[in-house]
Amino acid sequence: MGDFDADWLGLRAPADRRARAPDLPLLLRPQLPNGQVLRILDLGCGTGSNLHSLAPVLGGAQAWLCLDADADLLERLPDETQAWAQQSGLDWDASDQRVTGAEPHLTCTPHLNCTLATRRFDLARNLAELPIDGIGLVTASALLDLVSETWLAGLVSQCAKVRVPLLMALTYDGRVAFEPALSLDREVIEAVNRHQGRDKGFGPALGPSANGRLAILAAAQGYWVEVRRSDWRIRRSERELQAALIRGWSRAAREEAPASDEGAIAHWEAVRLAAVERGCSRIIVGHRDLLAVPRRA
Ligand SMILES: C[S@@+](CC[C@H](N)C(=O)[O-])C[C@H]1O[C@@H](n2cnc3c(N)ncnc32)[C@H](O)[C@@H]1O
């Protein structure tokens, strides 16, 4: 089991879904080849949240290859996909891991016919062996803030060589706003953002600067780049998600801050959790989505 257990991914999934920039997949669609199966590589797929959001919007024939280092998450992905398909009114065929149908509110999108395959793959160690041949789209969600500058530059350069588009969703950008506000909020989030730079297996992590660096690296490799805000807007009723975030931020801030600040951060956590419990806390967490399409030769 890695750092991202299935419960956490399930908890964040509704906020992720609401946050994603709706127009980027629409801008991407006309850039994709017509009449062929679109082969999609999903990096750090977890339990399939990116597939569940993107596949119905893109529509048509798709073959997803979902990569993750965590075997437990990969094992759960087909069941999560079946549950998502049922909730969305789509058909799931377990024998060949295929989702078909059309979402009722997307009647103009070509009928979805999407297969999925999973592979255990350590992206940090094996970037040079990324199975990118014949891939028509490289995508990821909530991954890039974990990676290093060197890793990201390597990914972009590999993708540019085969002129494959990139759609990278939900990269944390360092902005957090709380309601009600507390005087320690800024200090805590600054400490959290420093903590984000710690090595997550890929070398020193880009954290909040990942999306900006990707935009620059992709443009330098001849990509046309579009960036959108995709902020989590966490509702008062989403108490469990808020509490998990506050506890995680408090832990990270205490690891970064001098010991003399620990009491103040623990107090911050207690006040925040009490506000969540009373149902009067809302949180906005800044994220970005990025689409990069190779410019025509
Ligand atoms: C925040 S989760 C996002 C999961 C999924 N994309 C989503 O949006 O729910 C980050 C994912 O990256 C995966 N991951 C982290 N380091 C990895 C590595 N070195 N190789 C492959 N996957 C990795 C984790 O196992 C986890 O599934």
Side-chain angles (χ1 to χ4, degrees):
M1 173 80 76
D3 290 339
F4 303 95
D5 66 59
D7 291 343
W8 165 245
L9 297 184
L11 198 54
R12 56 175 289 163
D16 280 344
R17 260 196 304 277
R18 294 197 304 269
R20 294 174 74 113
D23 65 325
L24 293 187
L26 303 181
L27 288 175
L28 168 66
R29 213 161 47 188
Q31 310 296 325
L32 298 170
N34 263 331
Q36 297 169 20
V37 177
L38 175 65
R39 296 186 56 211
I40 300 175
L41 196 58
D42 187 10
L43 311 178
C45 59
T47 52
S49 166
N50 196 25
L51 182 158
H52 305 156
S53 290
L54 204 50
V57 190
L58 291 176
Q62 303 169 26
W64 284 67
L65 176 56
C66 299
L67 307 180
D68 205 287
D70 188 321
D72 292 345
L73 297 179
L74 289 175
E75 202 180 311
R76 293 180 70 137
L77 198 150
D79 286 349
E80 295 283 338
T81 301
Q82 176 175 22
W84 156 76
Q86 276 165 359
Q87 279 162 21
S88 313
L90 299 166
D91 296 317
W92 167 250
D93 180 344
S95 62
D96 62 352
Q97 310 228 98
R98 184 184 297 271
V99 184
T100 50
E103 278 200 344
H105 63 284
L106 292 173
T107 45
C108 296
T109 306
H111 199 79
L112 178 65
N113 183 346
C114 166
T115 59
L116 84 87
T118 56
R119 188 181 302 173
R120 192 168 184 196
F121 189 93
D122 186 335
L123 290 163
R125 286 165 174 251
N126 303 315
L127 181 62
E129 281 83 56
L130 203 63
I132 206 169
D133 271 358
I135 291 295
L137 173 65
V138 171
T139 184
S141 59
L143 175 77
L144 290 190
D145 30 60
L146 308 180
V147 309
S148 64
E149 171 87 20
T150 309
W151 188 92
L152 191 61
L155 175 71
V156 174
S157 136
Q158 276 198 53
C159 292
K161 272 189 204 131
V162 293
R163 300 181 53 75
V164 65
L166 292 156
L167 181 55
M168 299 301 191
L170 297 162
T171 307
Y172 173 63
D173 72 2
R175 292 173 299 120
V176 181
F178 296 94
E179 182 192 292
L182 296 176
S183 58
L184 208 65
D185 291 342
R186 191 174 52 80
E187 248 175 281
V188 170
I189 296 305
E190 281 175 4
V192 168
N193 288 343
R194 286 196 300 279
H195 194 276
Q196 284 268 314
R198 293 190 180 193
D199 189 339
K200 312 289 190 313
F202 294 81
L206 283 165
S209 60
N211 193 77
R213 290 304 302 151
L214 175 58
I216 290 168
L217 290 165
Q221 292 276 359
Y223 279 88
W224 158 64
V225 177
E226 293 284 334
V227 175
R228 301 285 183 273
R229 284 192 174 182
S230 52
D231 297 348
W232 278 356
R233 296 179 176 278
I234 309 175
R235 298 168 176 163
R236 294 188 178 93
S237 58
E238 292 176 303
R239 294 180 188 186
E240 211 185 332
L241 176 58
Q242 292 201 33
L245 283 169
I246 289 163
R247 290 197 179 98
W249 285 329
S250 171
R251 202 167 38 244
R254 277 182 277 132
E255 282 174 24
E256 280 295 315
S260 55
D261 287 355
E262 281 192 14
I265 296 171
H267 179 69
W268 175 89
E269 176 184 342
V271 174
R272 285 246 152 269
L273 290 175
V276 171
E277 202 45 50
R278 286 199 309 277
C280 57
S281 166
R282 287 195 299 178
I283 308 179
I284 295 174
V285 185
H287 289 88
R288 306 279 162 132
D289 287 5
L290 181 150
L291 171 67
V293 177
R295 289 184 190 279
R296 290 187 207 288

